Amino acid sequence: MLEGKALSHQCGIGTGPTKSRPWFLDRAQGGGNLLERASHGIDLARAVGGEVVAVQATAGSVPLAQSAGERGDIEDAAAIAFRFESGAVGSTTIAWTRDGLPGRYSLDVLGSESSLRLDLDPDFTLRGVSRGREIEARTTQHPIERSVARFLEAAREGDGTRVFCTPAEAAGTLAVVVACEQALRTGATVDVPIL
């Protein structure tokens, strides 16, 4: 639906509760909320929009999930802005909230001839308009189950091309996360090295 069309903007949201583990609350052990949670939104943004070349990041100081229990040295909420190699821009926000509050995991994509929303867990639906056509699709299998099944197939068949995320793609996302952490510390726009 997007192939061959210029993308202009992406907006990702990843908010909701998650199980706290002792290492998660300690940035030195777990990498913080950007590495642990925002990396998934960054990975999706790169898969859709291509390479990220610069980032900005800011974090909130109001405790959300941490207001209910043990406190660590990580932020509960953060916002990240991206500039893609293509010239497009994007953003993703993360917020770790208390148990019992609803979560939202989505990605909106605007292109020259499209406006699409991908709602993730628990819905896994794609809706919008692309090239004048209404789009509505839903997955029939949970993506984690699909990824694990495909990985096991690749291992059984010795076919590395069947693995969804290559080590190079993972390293690219890690480079963006590291740049985001630097932007968070410095308040500056940080360039991302293309690996």
Side-chain angles (χ1 to χ4, degrees), residues 1-10 48 108-117 126-135:
M1 287 177 271
L2 299 172
E3 190 172 339
K5 300 301 175 192
L7 298 183
S8 177
H9 182 263
Q10 292 187 46
V48 172
D108 287 273
V109 180
L110 300 175
S112 56
E113 297 181 49
S114 58
S115 177
L116 300 169
R117 169 172 281 169
L126 177 66
R127 293 182 181 95
V129 175
S130 180
R131 298 179 179 135
R133 191 178 62 150
E134 292 282 330
I135 304 295

Side-chain angles (χ1 to χ4, degrees), residues 53-64:
V53 296
V55 298
Q56 295 174 316
T58 190
S61 59
V62 176
L64 299 172

Side-chain angles (χ1 to χ4, degrees), residues 89-111:
V89 296
S91 64
T92 192
T93 58
I94 57 161
W96 174 35
T97 61
R98 286 180 167 191
D99 287 340
L101 294 176
R104 178 170 170 202
Y105 305 93
S106 63
L107 178 68
D108 287 273
V109 180
L110 300 175

